[in-house]
């Protein structure tokens, strides 16, 4: 069930003395990994059932709550409507799992569903296939190549570098990076461009008051 922080009323008069709240207990990396595995067992089938791929699932502790971040992608991209639909489906599945007694995450948590940005590394064949036509930079052996992806299949890619095509197998490639072309900026969504912004706020320790009205908390 979604939970949101609420301001509680207090009779007028002298404010009672306040004691410092104890610092929240930190969740160990091993426990975070275990929670992520439990969440993935619930979330992965739901995302697949909607026709998308679960690209990334992370669990972070932020103050007294946890942040569950789900990144999805599909062959035709992911629009805002699709993100909203998947978010509702995942939320229902998590509610049902908790109601059945599955131990997912203790306490409140916030669920965020998003699509990958253009700075997402290309590591799987489907990543390359979804970026045919784009300019990418990739390390192939000892060389660093920048070229346009002409084709991609289960074995590798064809990269056009300065008019010359190179057939490259995946086992010889490092992670690829899409290069932003200013002459093609109109082809890139605002959501993708936002991924280039400083995301350091994700790692900040925010207190309860700062997080109360941001997103859906569970």
């Amino acid at each position: 069930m979604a939970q949101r922080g609420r301001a509680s009323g207090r009779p007028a008069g002298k404010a009672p003395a306040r004691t410092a709240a104890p610092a929240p207990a930190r969740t160990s990396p091993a426990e975070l990994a275990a929670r992520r595995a439990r969440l993935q067992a619930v979330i992965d089938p739901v995302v697949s059932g909607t026709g998308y791929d679960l690209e990334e699932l992370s669990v972070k502790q932020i103050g007294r709550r946890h942040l569950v971040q789900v990144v999805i992608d599909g062959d035709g991209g992911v629009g805002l409507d699709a993100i909203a639909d998947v978010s509702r489906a995942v939320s229902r599945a998590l509610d049902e799992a908790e109601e059945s007694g599955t131990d997912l995450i203790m306490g409140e948590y916030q669920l965020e569903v998003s699509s990958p940005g253009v700075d997402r590394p290309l590591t799987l064949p489907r990543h390359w296939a979804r970026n045919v036509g784009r300019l990418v930079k990739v390390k192939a052996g000892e060389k660093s190549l920048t070229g346009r992806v002409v084709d991609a299949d289960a074995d590798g890619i064809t990269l056009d570098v300065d008019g010359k095509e190179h057939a490259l197998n995946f086992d010889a490639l490092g992670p690829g990076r899409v290069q932003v072309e200013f002459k093609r900026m109109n082809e890139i969504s605002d959501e993708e461009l936002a991924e280039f912004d400083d995301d350091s706020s994700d790692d900040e320790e925010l207190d309860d008051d700062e997080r109360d009205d941001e997103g859906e908390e569970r």
Side-chain angles (χ1 to χ4, degrees), residues 85-181:
D85 291 341
V86 173
S87 181
R88 286 190 289 267
V90 169
S91 182
R92 285 195 300 269
L94 294 178
D95 285 345
E96 292 170 0
E98 289 178 332
E99 290 169 1
S100 68
T102 302
D103 181 17
L104 294 176
I105 289 184
M106 293 181 62
E108 297 178 4
Y109 61 90
Q110 179 178 336
L111 173 66
E112 289 184 359
V113 179
S114 63
S115 60
V118 292
D119 61 339
R120 183 266 310 270
L122 310 181
T123 58
L124 299 174
R126 67 170 181 260
H127 298 163
W128 290 96
R130 290 168 182 167
N131 284 279
V132 169
R134 286 194 168 183
L135 189 70
V136 302
K137 184 175 183 179
V138 63
K139 189 171 183 180
E142 298 300 320
K143 297 181 179 180
S144 181
L145 301 175
T146 299
R148 198 168 303 282
V149 182
V150 177
D151 192 17
D153 56 27
D155 299 317
I157 65 170
T158 301
L159 195 66
D160 184 324
V161 181
D162 297 329
K164 183 178 181 180
E165 293 189 355
H166 299 259
L168 305 168
N169 291 328
F170 288 127
D171 57 9
L173 294 178
R177 297 279 182 177
V178 174
Q179 305 298 292
V180 175
E181 301 176 80

Side-chain angles (χ1 to χ4, degrees), residues 200-213:
S200 59
S201 60
D202 286 344
D203 299 324
E204 292 178 357
E205 294 293 324
L206 301 180
D207 62 28
D208 288 350
D209 292 337
E210 290 175 311
R211 299 295 299 185
D212 278 343
D213 295 321

